[in-house]
Amino acid sequence: MSGSRIVALGHYQPPKVLTNGDLAVLVDTDDEWIRSRVGIRTRHIAEGETLVDLATEAAQKALANSGRSAAEIDLVVVATCTAVERSPNTAAAVAARLGVRAPAAYDINTVCSGFSYALATADHAIRAGAASRALVIGAERMSDTLDWTDRTTCVIFGDGAGAAVVEAQPEGAEPGIGPVVWGSEPEKGDAVVITGWDPVISQQGQSVFRWATTQIAPLARQACEKAGIDPSELKGFVPHQANLRIIDAIASKLGAPDAVVARDVVVSGNTSAASIPLAFSKLVERGELSPGDPVLLFGFGGGLAYAGQVVRCP
């Protein structure tokens, strides 16, 4: 087997939009304070929609864009850190909704790097012959973890989902998903935490900012090296949508002057594991990337875990 490729993407965000002005009514903040620190103007918040609802909507769109049916899927992987139900897992629940027959189905929780981890494991399963066509989904209801009186966190996060249909490449074809660079810094794991049965997210903002702006660009260049391309050849860069200042700092150090840089954080906030497929899907839908373009995906955050790979645009 020559590896796998992404054949289609899809995304979904709940209809309710929460603006900075709306947040200023809830907590001591304002539009200028939020935009100057994290670059966010709006975020989407789920009301009456579960995590499985969000994931299913994105997966249905990806399937429709791929021209494949649910019956052709044999692996479902969901990256999330906000699942409420322990069993069945989110992947199995989504598979049931879609009518996927007897798939391997599992969830991955590496928080903000989750989609790149999930994409890598699906690629590995296909390379090993354990699957032929997969649904890889990043979905989050981050609003479930928020303390709406804490202006350092409640202004940052949003809800949403993104999905990819991934399938085997024919023998001899160029792989559409490059080798993953992944890892973590567990000794710094307390920099971003979601704990307890009634979970609330907290983070050490400055520590995360310093780590992301100094450590991620070299790791992102490693992902390019593993894929056999120079960063200057990239046509797209889709990092985790953590914070506009972090995105711009990493992009400036990457050495990819011709790459379209995803900045969906401005209108969607930080959607953790959903942020990469959500932003990637939007770039493709708007025609800002073309089929076959090399695109670097790189997730980082809670854990502190990271993962990234170069993919070919569907």
Side-chain angles (χ1 to χ4, degrees), residues 116-302:
S116 283
Y117 267 83
L119 185 62
T121 64
D123 175 55
H124 296 165
I126 290 171
R127 286 175 181 268
S132 60
R133 185 171 288 116
L135 263 174
V136 182
I137 305 164
E140 301 283 17
R141 267 191 59 128
M142 295 303 295
S143 59
D144 286 343
T145 72
L146 297 179
D147 175 355
W148 292 101
T149 67
D150 178 6
R151 72 171 186 169
T152 66
T153 55
C154 75
V155 304
I156 297 173
F157 296 96
D159 302 334
V165 176
V166 178
E167 66 181 30
Q169 284 278 68
E171 193 66 41
E174 180 184 2
I177 298 176
V180 67
V181 170
W182 55 9
S184 65
E185 295 193 25
E187 70 278 4
K188 298 179 181 177
D190 60 353
V192 183
V193 296
I194 305 173
T195 58
W197 288 101
D198 185 14
V200 175
I201 190 168
S202 63
Q203 63 178 3
Q204 298 168 14
Q206 286 304 309
S207 295
V208 175
F209 183 88
R210 286 193 297 271
W211 173 74
T213 55
T214 58
Q215 302 301 312
I216 298 304
L219 294 165
R221 287 195 292 271
Q222 284 183 32
C224 293
E225 183 180 351
K226 279 197 168 189
I229 73 167
D230 188 84
S232 63
E233 300 174 74
L234 292 172
K235 296 300 181 184
F237 176 43
V238 186
H240 166 49
Q241 302 293 290
N243 172 316
L244 188 60
R245 293 166 60 207
I246 290 175
I247 291 168
D248 287 343
I250 296 170
S252 69
K253 295 177 180 180
L254 181 60
D258 297 328
V260 175
V261 179
R263 295 182 173 87
D264 188 54
V265 68
V266 174
V267 294
S268 299
N270 179 340
T271 56
S272 187
S275 75
I276 287 177
L278 182 61
F280 191 13
S281 179
K282 287 183 179 182
L283 289 178
V284 172
E285 187 174 80
R286 293 196 298 260
E288 295 184 48
L289 294 168
S290 300
D293 280 350
V295 180
L296 173 63
L297 313 180
F298 210 96
F300 53 88

